Amino acid sequence: MRDAGAPVAVVGAGPVGLAAAAHLAERGLDFVVLEAGPRVGAAISEWGHVRLFSPWRYDIDAAARRLLEPTGWTPPDPDALPTGDDLVRDYLAPLAETPRLAGRIRTGTRVTAVARRGLDVTRTAGRGDRPLLVRAAGPDGTVTDLAARAVIDASGTWGHGNPLGHSGLPAPGEDEAAPYLAGPLPDVLGRDRDRFAGRRTLVVGMGHSAANTLLALVELAKAEPGTRIAWAVRGSSVARLYGGGDADGLPARGALGTRLKRAVRDGEIDLVRDFSITRLANGDGDVQVTGATPDGERVIAADTVVAATGFRPDLDMLREVRLDLDPGTEAPAELAPLIDPNLHSCGTVPPHGERVLAHPEPGFYLAGMKSYGRAPTFLMATGYEQVRSIAAALAGDREAADTVRLDLPETGVCSTDLVTEDQIPGAAGGASCCGGGRPGPVPISIG
Protein backbone atom coordinates (compact mmCIF):
# COMPACT_ATOMS: atom_id res chain seq x y z
CA MET A 1 0.00 0.00 0.00
CA ARG A 2 1.15 3.55 -0.68
CA ASP A 3 2.22 5.44 2.47
CA ALA A 4 -1.13 6.22 4.10
CA GLY A 5 0.60 8.55 6.54
CA ALA A 6 1.88 10.85 3.81
CA PRO A 7 -0.13 13.96 2.91
CA VAL A 8 -1.97 14.68 -0.31
CA ALA A 9 0.18 17.18 -2.22
CA VAL A 10 -1.74 19.91 -4.03
CA VAL A 11 0.31 21.78 -6.63
CA GLY A 12 -0.82 25.37 -7.06
CA ALA A 13 -2.60 27.80 -4.72
CA GLY A 14 -5.00 29.29 -7.22
CA PRO A 15 -8.78 28.94 -7.03
CA VAL A 16 -8.86 25.23 -7.88
CA GLY A 17 -5.84 24.31 -5.76
CA LEU A 18 -7.28 26.03 -2.69
CA ALA A 19 -10.68 24.48 -3.39
CA ALA A 20 -8.97 21.08 -3.38
CA ALA A 21 -7.41 21.95 -0.03
CA ALA A 22 -10.81 22.98 1.36
CA HIS A 23 -12.41 19.69 0.32
CA LEU A 24 -9.50 17.66 1.67
CA ALA A 25 -9.75 19.55 4.97
CA GLU A 26 -13.47 18.83 5.22
CA ARG A 27 -12.72 15.15 4.63
CA GLY A 28 -10.15 15.11 7.40
CA LEU A 29 -7.30 14.23 5.03
CA ASP A 30 -3.77 15.48 5.60
CA PHE A 31 -2.52 17.74 2.82
CA VAL A 32 0.02 20.33 1.82
CA VAL A 33 -0.31 23.01 -0.87
CA LEU A 34 2.81 23.95 -2.85
CA GLU A 35 2.70 27.32 -4.63
CA ALA A 36 5.50 28.60 -6.85
CA GLY A 37 4.56 32.25 -6.41
CA PRO A 38 5.21 34.45 -3.38
CA ARG A 39 1.53 34.40 -2.35
CA VAL A 40 -1.68 32.56 -3.07
CA GLY A 41 -3.23 33.48 -6.40
CA ALA A 42 0.14 34.73 -7.67
CA ALA A 43 -0.64 33.96 -11.32
CA ILE A 44 -4.01 35.71 -11.10
CA SER A 45 -2.30 38.78 -9.65
CA GLU A 46 -0.38 39.11 -12.92
CA TRP A 47 -3.68 39.86 -14.67
CA GLY A 48 -5.39 41.40 -11.67
CA HIS A 49 -6.61 44.39 -13.67
CA VAL A 50 -8.85 42.17 -15.82
CA ARG A 51 -12.50 41.73 -14.90
CA LEU A 52 -13.92 38.22 -15.07
CA PHE A 53 -17.01 37.35 -17.10
CA SER A 54 -18.42 35.12 -14.37
CA PRO A 55 -20.14 36.81 -11.42
CA TRP A 56 -19.11 35.88 -7.89
CA ARG A 57 -21.86 33.26 -7.61
CA TYR A 58 -19.85 31.00 -9.94
CA ASP A 59 -16.42 31.88 -8.55
CA ILE A 60 -16.58 30.60 -4.95
CA ASP A 61 -16.24 26.91 -4.15
CA ALA A 62 -18.83 25.44 -1.77
CA ALA A 63 -16.34 23.87 0.64
CA ALA A 64 -14.25 27.04 0.62
CA ARG A 65 -17.35 29.04 1.53
CA ARG A 66 -18.04 26.71 4.44
CA LEU A 67 -14.52 27.29 5.76
CA LEU A 68 -14.79 31.05 5.33
CA GLU A 69 -18.21 31.70 6.86
CA PRO A 70 -17.28 30.97 10.51
CA THR A 71 -14.41 33.49 10.31
CA GLY A 72 -16.70 36.50 9.85
CA TRP A 73 -15.86 36.75 6.15
CA THR A 74 -18.30 38.90 4.21
CA PRO A 75 -19.24 37.25 0.92
CA PRO A 76 -19.13 39.52 -2.13
CA ASP A 77 -22.26 40.48 -4.05
CA PRO A 78 -23.09 37.27 -5.96
CA ASP A 79 -24.05 39.23 -9.08
CA ALA A 80 -20.95 41.45 -9.19
CA LEU A 81 -18.09 40.76 -11.60
CA PRO A 82 -14.74 40.57 -9.78
CA THR A 83 -11.39 41.54 -11.20
CA GLY A 84 -8.48 39.20 -10.73
CA ASP A 85 -7.28 41.41 -7.87
CA ASP A 86 -10.73 41.20 -6.28
CA LEU A 87 -10.64 37.42 -6.53
CA VAL A 88 -7.32 37.25 -4.69
CA ARG A 89 -8.04 39.93 -2.07
CA ASP A 90 -11.65 39.07 -1.24
CA TYR A 91 -11.59 35.29 -1.61
CA LEU A 92 -8.27 33.47 -2.02
CA ALA A 93 -6.25 35.40 0.59
CA PRO A 94 -8.93 35.08 3.31
CA LEU A 95 -9.42 31.41 2.43
CA ALA A 96 -5.70 30.72 2.86
CA GLU A 97 -5.88 32.23 6.35
CA THR A 98 -8.73 30.06 7.60
CA PRO A 99 -7.73 27.78 10.50
CA ARG A 100 -8.06 24.60 8.42
CA LEU A 101 -5.71 25.85 5.67
CA ALA A 102 -3.32 28.20 7.44
CA GLY A 103 0.09 26.62 7.95
CA ARG A 104 -0.46 24.06 5.19
CA ILE A 105 0.37 26.34 2.23
CA ARG A 106 4.00 26.71 1.24
CA THR A 107 4.53 29.70 -1.04
CA GLY A 108 7.70 30.32 -3.00
CA THR A 109 7.92 26.56 -3.49
CA ARG A 110 8.13 25.47 -7.11
CA VAL A 111 7.42 21.84 -7.96
CA THR A 112 9.94 20.68 -10.54
CA ALA A 113 9.03 16.99 -10.80
CA VAL A 114 6.59 14.32 -9.71
CA ALA A 115 7.64 10.67 -9.65
CA ARG A 116 7.09 7.36 -7.86
CA ARG A 117 9.59 7.11 -5.02
CA GLY A 118 12.47 4.82 -5.92
CA LEU A 119 11.17 3.98 -9.39
CA ASP A 120 11.40 5.65 -12.76
CA VAL A 121 8.48 5.63 -15.16
CA THR A 122 9.56 2.38 -16.82
CA ARG A 123 9.40 0.25 -13.65
CA THR A 124 6.17 -1.61 -12.87
CA ALA A 125 6.96 -4.12 -10.12
CA GLY A 126 5.98 -2.79 -6.72
CA ARG A 127 4.85 0.54 -8.11
CA GLY A 128 1.55 0.59 -6.27
CA ASP A 129 3.29 -0.07 -2.94
CA ARG A 130 5.31 3.15 -2.99
CA PRO A 131 4.29 6.74 -2.31
CA LEU A 132 4.52 9.42 -4.94
CA LEU A 133 7.47 11.77 -4.72
CA VAL A 134 7.18 15.52 -5.23
CA ARG A 135 10.42 17.40 -5.78
CA ALA A 136 10.25 21.11 -5.07
CA ALA A 137 12.63 24.05 -4.79
CA GLY A 138 11.98 26.35 -1.83
CA PRO A 139 12.35 30.14 -1.57
CA ASP A 140 16.09 29.83 -0.90
CA GLY A 141 16.61 27.34 -3.70
CA THR A 142 16.86 24.33 -1.42
CA VAL A 143 15.51 21.21 -3.13
CA THR A 144 13.28 18.91 -1.09
CA ASP A 145 11.67 15.57 -1.91
CA LEU A 146 8.23 15.17 -0.33
CA ALA A 147 6.44 11.82 -0.05
CA ALA A 148 2.75 12.03 -0.96
CA ARG A 149 -0.09 9.52 -0.86
CA ALA A 150 -1.64 11.38 -3.81
CA VAL A 151 -0.90 14.43 -5.96
CA ILE A 152 -3.44 16.89 -7.38
CA ASP A 153 -1.69 19.03 -9.98
CA ALA A 154 -3.73 22.23 -10.18
CA SER A 155 -0.82 24.39 -11.30
CA GLY A 156 -2.64 25.76 -14.35
CA THR A 157 -1.09 26.84 -17.61
CA TRP A 158 -0.25 30.51 -17.00
CA GLY A 159 3.30 31.26 -18.08
CA HIS A 160 3.31 28.54 -20.74
CA GLY A 161 1.99 30.41 -23.76
CA ASN A 162 1.68 29.08 -27.27
CA PRO A 163 4.18 30.51 -29.75
CA LEU A 164 3.39 33.17 -32.32
CA GLY A 165 4.49 31.02 -35.24
CA HIS A 166 2.24 28.68 -37.19
CA SER A 167 2.02 24.89 -36.84
CA GLY A 168 2.49 25.09 -33.07
CA LEU A 169 6.13 26.14 -33.48
CA PRO A 170 7.92 29.39 -32.66
CA ALA A 171 8.47 31.54 -35.71
CA PRO A 172 12.08 32.06 -36.79
CA GLY A 173 13.31 35.12 -34.93
CA GLU A 174 10.69 34.84 -32.19
CA ASP A 175 13.23 34.34 -29.40
CA GLU A 176 15.34 37.25 -30.59
CA ALA A 177 12.24 39.46 -30.70
CA ALA A 178 11.50 38.86 -27.00
CA PRO A 179 12.12 42.53 -26.00
CA TYR A 180 9.25 43.53 -28.29
CA LEU A 181 6.83 40.85 -27.08
CA ALA A 182 4.28 41.33 -24.32
CA GLY A 183 2.35 38.69 -22.41
CA PRO A 184 -1.30 37.90 -23.13
CA LEU A 185 -2.87 40.42 -20.73
CA PRO A 186 -0.75 43.56 -20.32
CA ASP A 187 -2.18 46.33 -18.13
CA VAL A 188 -2.60 48.73 -21.04
CA LEU A 189 -4.42 51.46 -19.09
CA GLY A 190 -2.36 51.13 -15.91
CA ARG A 191 1.03 49.64 -15.14
CA ASP A 192 2.07 49.18 -18.80
CA ARG A 193 0.53 52.34 -20.22
CA ASP A 194 3.81 53.97 -21.30
CA ARG A 195 4.69 50.95 -23.40
CA PHE A 196 1.59 51.39 -25.58
CA ALA A 197 0.68 55.08 -25.50
CA GLY A 198 1.29 56.76 -28.85
CA ARG A 199 2.85 53.62 -30.27
CA ARG A 200 2.00 50.79 -32.68
CA THR A 201 0.72 47.55 -31.17
CA LEU A 202 0.01 44.28 -32.94
CA VAL A 203 -2.28 41.90 -31.04
CA VAL A 204 -2.09 38.27 -32.18
CA GLY A 205 -4.77 35.78 -31.20
CA MET A 206 -8.50 35.20 -31.29
CA GLY A 207 -9.49 34.60 -27.70
CA HIS A 208 -10.92 36.74 -24.95
CA SER A 209 -7.42 37.69 -23.82
CA ALA A 210 -6.92 39.35 -27.20
CA ALA A 211 -10.32 41.02 -27.00
CA ASN A 212 -9.61 42.51 -23.57
CA THR A 213 -6.31 43.94 -24.73
CA LEU A 214 -7.73 45.30 -27.98
CA LEU A 215 -10.53 47.15 -26.22
CA ALA A 216 -8.13 48.58 -23.64
CA LEU A 217 -5.97 49.84 -26.52
CA VAL A 218 -9.03 51.46 -28.10
CA GLU A 219 -9.64 53.34 -24.85
CA LEU A 220 -5.99 54.35 -24.69
CA ALA A 221 -6.05 55.63 -28.28
CA LYS A 222 -8.83 58.07 -27.39
CA ALA A 223 -6.53 59.77 -24.89
CA GLU A 224 -3.15 59.23 -26.54
CA PRO A 225 -2.81 60.44 -30.15
CA GLY A 226 -0.72 58.24 -32.39
CA THR A 227 -1.75 55.01 -30.68
CA ARG A 228 -2.30 52.53 -33.49
CA ILE A 229 -3.79 49.06 -33.20
CA ALA A 230 -3.52 46.07 -35.52
CA TRP A 231 -5.11 42.70 -34.83
CA ALA A 232 -3.87 39.60 -36.66
CA VAL A 233 -5.75 36.29 -36.77
CA ARG A 234 -5.02 33.10 -38.68
CA GLY A 235 -8.60 32.48 -39.76
CA SER A 236 -10.93 34.24 -42.16
CA SER A 237 -13.66 34.92 -39.59
CA VAL A 238 -13.73 36.28 -36.06
CA ALA A 239 -17.43 35.54 -35.54
CA ARG A 240 -16.53 33.06 -32.81
CA LEU A 241 -15.01 35.81 -30.68
CA TYR A 242 -17.79 38.28 -31.41
CA GLY A 243 -20.03 35.63 -29.85
CA GLY A 244 -23.70 35.77 -28.99
CA GLY A 245 -24.05 39.39 -27.95
CA ASP A 246 -27.21 39.86 -25.92
CA ALA A 247 -27.96 36.12 -26.16
CA ASP A 248 -24.89 35.19 -24.13
CA GLY A 249 -25.66 33.80 -20.69
CA LEU A 250 -22.64 35.69 -19.33
CA PRO A 251 -23.60 39.27 -20.25
CA ALA A 252 -20.09 40.64 -19.80
CA ARG A 253 -18.78 38.16 -22.34
CA GLY A 254 -21.48 39.06 -24.83
CA ALA A 255 -20.80 42.76 -24.35
CA LEU A 256 -17.09 42.23 -24.97
CA GLY A 257 -17.75 40.72 -28.39
CA THR A 258 -20.24 43.43 -29.28
CA ARG A 259 -17.81 46.21 -28.38
CA LEU A 260 -14.98 44.56 -30.28
CA LYS A 261 -17.10 44.15 -33.39
CA ARG A 262 -18.03 47.83 -33.28
CA ALA A 263 -14.40 48.93 -32.86
CA VAL A 264 -13.35 46.95 -35.94
CA ARG A 265 -16.31 48.26 -37.94
CA ASP A 266 -15.47 51.86 -36.97
CA GLY A 267 -11.84 51.51 -38.02
CA GLU A 268 -10.39 51.82 -34.54
CA ILE A 269 -8.74 48.42 -35.00
CA ASP A 270 -7.08 47.25 -38.20
CA LEU A 271 -8.14 43.60 -38.47
CA VAL A 272 -5.78 41.45 -40.55
CA ARG A 273 -7.30 38.06 -41.40
CA ASP A 274 -5.67 34.90 -42.74
CA PHE A 275 -2.31 35.97 -41.34
CA SER A 276 0.09 33.13 -40.40
CA ILE A 277 3.29 34.45 -38.89
CA THR A 278 6.35 33.06 -40.67
CA ARG A 279 9.15 35.11 -39.09
CA LEU A 280 10.00 38.05 -36.87
CA ALA A 281 12.95 40.36 -37.38
CA ASN A 282 14.13 43.16 -35.12
CA GLY A 283 14.15 46.48 -36.93
CA ASP A 284 15.37 49.93 -35.95
CA GLY A 285 13.52 50.24 -32.65
CA ASP A 286 10.65 48.02 -33.71
CA VAL A 287 9.87 44.47 -34.82
CA GLN A 288 8.92 43.41 -38.34
CA VAL A 289 6.32 40.65 -38.28
CA THR A 290 6.06 38.74 -41.55
CA GLY A 291 3.06 36.60 -42.32
CA ALA A 292 1.73 34.48 -45.14
CA THR A 293 -1.66 35.58 -46.48
CA PRO A 294 -3.80 34.43 -49.43
CA ASP A 295 -2.48 37.45 -51.32
CA GLY A 296 1.14 36.76 -50.58
CA GLU A 297 3.60 37.82 -47.93
CA ARG A 298 2.77 40.81 -45.73
CA VAL A 299 4.88 42.64 -43.15
CA ILE A 300 3.46 44.45 -40.13
CA ALA A 301 5.77 46.76 -38.20
CA ALA A 302 5.04 47.17 -34.50
CA ASP A 303 6.59 48.62 -31.39
CA THR A 304 5.03 45.85 -29.30
CA VAL A 305 3.44 42.51 -30.17
CA VAL A 306 0.92 41.12 -27.68
CA ALA A 307 1.03 37.32 -27.85
CA ALA A 308 -2.53 36.35 -26.91
CA THR A 309 -2.17 32.95 -28.52
CA GLY A 310 -3.41 30.70 -25.71
CA PHE A 311 -1.61 28.29 -23.42
CA ARG A 312 -0.36 24.74 -23.16
CA PRO A 313 0.38 22.63 -20.05
CA ASP A 314 3.84 22.11 -18.60
CA LEU A 315 4.27 18.35 -18.92
CA ASP A 316 8.05 18.22 -18.44
CA MET A 317 7.61 18.05 -14.66
CA LEU A 318 5.49 14.92 -15.14
CA ARG A 319 7.83 12.81 -17.28
CA GLU A 320 8.29 10.22 -14.52
CA VAL A 321 4.62 9.55 -13.85
CA ARG A 322 2.42 7.42 -16.06
CA LEU A 323 -0.08 9.62 -17.83
CA ASP A 324 -2.90 8.78 -20.21
CA LEU A 325 -3.22 11.93 -22.29
CA ASP A 326 -5.09 12.61 -25.50
CA PRO A 327 -2.51 13.26 -28.24
CA GLY A 328 -4.41 16.27 -29.55
CA THR A 329 -5.55 18.23 -26.52
CA GLU A 330 -3.00 16.90 -24.00
CA ALA A 331 -5.91 16.46 -21.60
CA PRO A 332 -6.71 13.19 -19.76
CA ALA A 333 -7.80 10.73 -22.43
CA GLU A 334 -11.31 10.18 -21.07
CA LEU A 335 -11.90 13.92 -20.63
CA ALA A 336 -10.61 14.93 -24.05
CA PRO A 337 -13.70 14.00 -26.12
CA LEU A 338 -15.84 16.12 -23.79
CA ILE A 339 -13.78 19.27 -24.29
CA ASP A 340 -12.28 18.88 -27.77
CA PRO A 341 -12.31 22.43 -29.22
CA ASN A 342 -12.81 20.97 -32.70
CA LEU A 343 -16.18 19.59 -31.63
CA HIS A 344 -17.16 21.09 -28.32
CA SER A 345 -19.68 23.88 -27.94
CA CYS A 346 -19.50 26.01 -24.81
CA GLY A 347 -21.70 24.86 -21.99
CA THR A 348 -21.97 21.29 -23.25
CA VAL A 349 -19.18 19.85 -21.08
CA PRO A 350 -20.94 17.35 -18.82
CA PRO A 351 -20.07 17.19 -15.14
CA HIS A 352 -17.04 15.00 -14.63
CA GLY A 353 -14.99 13.87 -11.71
CA GLU A 354 -12.34 11.51 -10.40
CA ARG A 355 -12.96 8.57 -12.73
CA VAL A 356 -12.53 10.70 -15.85
CA LEU A 357 -9.46 12.45 -14.43
CA ALA A 358 -7.59 9.36 -13.19
CA HIS A 359 -4.34 8.26 -14.82
CA PRO A 360 -2.49 4.92 -14.91
CA GLU A 361 -0.35 6.37 -12.09
CA PRO A 362 -2.45 5.62 -8.97
CA GLY A 363 -3.16 8.67 -6.88
CA PHE A 364 -2.10 11.22 -9.50
CA TYR A 365 -4.59 13.74 -10.95
CA LEU A 366 -4.55 16.78 -13.18
CA ALA A 367 -7.24 19.25 -12.13
CA GLY A 368 -8.36 22.71 -13.08
CA MET A 369 -7.12 24.43 -16.18
CA LYS A 370 -4.18 22.09 -16.58
CA SER A 371 -6.60 19.16 -16.90
CA TYR A 372 -7.95 20.78 -20.07
CA GLY A 373 -4.51 20.71 -21.70
CA ARG A 374 -4.64 22.94 -24.76
CA ALA A 375 -8.42 23.21 -24.87
CA PRO A 376 -9.51 26.82 -24.18
CA THR A 377 -12.93 26.14 -22.69
CA PHE A 378 -12.31 25.82 -18.96
CA LEU A 379 -14.69 27.25 -16.37
CA MET A 380 -13.62 27.73 -12.76
CA ALA A 381 -16.76 26.04 -11.45
CA THR A 382 -15.80 22.95 -13.44
CA GLY A 383 -12.51 22.77 -11.55
CA TYR A 384 -14.29 23.04 -8.22
CA GLU A 385 -16.42 20.01 -9.04
CA GLN A 386 -13.36 18.11 -10.22
CA VAL A 387 -11.52 18.50 -6.92
CA ARG A 388 -14.63 17.82 -4.84
CA SER A 389 -14.91 14.47 -6.58
CA ILE A 390 -11.19 13.73 -6.25
CA ALA A 391 -11.23 14.50 -2.52
CA ALA A 392 -14.24 12.21 -2.05
CA ALA A 393 -12.46 9.38 -3.87
CA LEU A 394 -9.30 9.82 -1.79
CA ALA A 395 -11.45 9.63 1.33
CA GLY A 396 -12.96 6.36 0.12
CA ASP A 397 -16.42 7.84 -0.53
CA ARG A 398 -17.01 6.30 -3.94
CA GLU A 399 -20.66 7.28 -4.09
CA ALA A 400 -19.92 10.98 -3.55
CA ALA A 401 -17.01 10.84 -5.99
CA ASP A 402 -19.24 9.47 -8.73
CA THR A 403 -22.18 11.82 -8.06
CA VAL A 404 -21.09 14.85 -10.05
CA ARG A 405 -23.17 17.93 -10.73
CA LEU A 406 -22.43 21.28 -12.28
CA ASP A 407 -24.43 24.51 -12.28
CA LEU A 408 -23.32 26.70 -15.17
CA PRO A 409 -24.81 29.72 -16.93
CA GLU A 410 -26.35 29.46 -20.36
CA THR A 411 -23.65 30.29 -22.85
CA GLY A 412 -25.47 32.01 -25.67
CA VAL A 413 -24.36 31.58 -29.26
CA CYS A 414 -21.34 29.31 -29.11
CA SER A 415 -21.10 27.59 -32.45
CA THR A 416 -22.45 28.06 -35.90
CA ASP A 417 -22.25 26.64 -39.37
CA LEU A 418 -23.86 29.77 -40.83
CA VAL A 419 -22.01 32.39 -42.83
CA THR A 420 -22.24 35.56 -40.77
CA GLU A 421 -21.84 39.18 -41.76
CA ASP A 422 -18.31 39.00 -40.40
CA GLN A 423 -17.19 36.17 -42.63
CA ILE A 424 -15.56 36.68 -45.97
CA PRO A 425 -18.00 35.53 -48.67
CA GLY A 426 -17.23 31.97 -49.66
CA ALA A 427 -15.45 31.15 -46.43
CA ALA A 428 -16.70 28.01 -44.75
CA GLY A 429 -18.56 28.38 -41.47
CA GLY A 430 -17.08 26.36 -38.68
CA ALA A 431 -18.51 24.82 -35.54
CA SER A 432 -16.34 26.29 -32.88
CA CYS A 433 -16.53 27.01 -29.20
CA CYS A 434 -16.75 30.54 -27.99
CA GLY A 435 -14.29 29.81 -25.24
CA GLY A 436 -11.41 31.70 -26.73
CA GLY A 437 -8.08 32.33 -25.17
CA ARG A 438 -7.21 31.71 -21.64
CA PRO A 439 -6.67 33.25 -19.27
CA GLY A 440 -8.57 36.31 -19.69
CA PRO A 441 -10.34 36.62 -18.09
CA VAL A 442 -8.34 33.77 -17.81
CA PRO A 443 -9.34 30.76 -17.92
CA ILE A 444 -10.78 30.99 -14.93
CA SER A 445 -14.08 32.40 -15.59
CA ILE A 446 -14.96 31.83 -19.16
CA GLY A 447 -15.24 29.04 -21.58
Side-chain angles (χ1 to χ4, degrees), residues 69-330:
E69 287 174 341
T71 69
W73 170 75
T74 301
D77 177 354
D79 296 319
L81 298 172
T83 63
D85 285 338
D86 294 337
L87 192 70
V88 175
R89 183 189 62 243
D90 299 335
Y91 173 46
L92 298 182
L95 177 59
E97 294 171 0
T98 58
R100 303 288 291 277
L101 269 59
R104 293 175 178 264
I105 302 170
R106 303 181 190 176
T107 56
T109 304
R110 180 175 296 278
V111 172
T112 59
V114 181
R116 184 67 66 180
R117 191 170 70 182
L119 301 175
D120 67 20
V121 73
T122 68
R123 296 286 300 278
T124 299
R127 197 169 189 88
D129 298 329
R130 297 171 180 255
L132 289 162
L133 178 149
V134 180
R135 177 164 291 178
D140 62 355
T142 300
V143 176
T144 302
D145 287 346
L146 170 72
R149 61 166 291 201
V151 173
I152 302 173
D153 183 355
S155 58
T157 56
W158 182 260
H160 300 279
N162 290 322
L164 288 165
H166 62 83
S167 308
L169 302 174
E174 190 165 331
D175 289 344
E176 292 76 8
Y180 298 99
L181 307 184
L185 285 167
D187 189 357
V188 171
L189 298 174
R191 179 185 63 232
D192 304 316
R193 184 185 184 98
D194 290 346
R195 183 171 188 178
F196 299 97
R199 301 172 72 81
R200 300 164 298 171
T201 299
L202 170 64
V203 178
V204 181
M206 213 185 75
H208 291 96
S209 298
N212 273 289
T213 298
L214 287 163
L215 290 174
L217 287 165
V218 168
E219 289 301 309
L220 181 66
K222 294 175 181 177
E224 299 285 354
T227 302
R228 292 156 56 189
I229 311 159
W231 175 24
V233 298
R234 293 191 185 115
S236 60
S237 171
V238 293
R240 169 169 64 87
L241 184 53
Y242 289 164
D246 293 341
D248 199 308
L250 292 174
R253 183 173 61 192
L256 187 79
T258 300
R259 289 168 56 206
L260 182 62
K261 184 176 182 178
R262 184 184 307 119
V264 172
R265 182 196 65 200
D266 294 346
E268 296 171 299
I269 298 169
D270 177 19
L271 172 59
V272 183
R273 310 170 193 260
D274 292 309
F275 187 84
S276 292
I277 295 176
T278 55
R279 66 179 179 275
L280 290 85
N282 295 351
D284 184 11
D286 64 8
V287 61
Q288 307 287 314
V289 182
T290 301
T293 78
D295 298 321
E297 194 172 81
R298 176 172 175 177
V299 179
I300 301 175
D303 299 299
T304 298
V305 178
V306 176
T309 48
F311 297 87
R312 57 182 63 182
D314 174 14
L315 299 176
D316 286 346
M317 61 184 279
L318 306 178
R319 290 181 63 87
E320 295 304 322
V321 290
R322 296 182 173 186
L323 303 178
D324 183 15
L325 298 177
D326 174 72
T329 61
E330 295 183 331

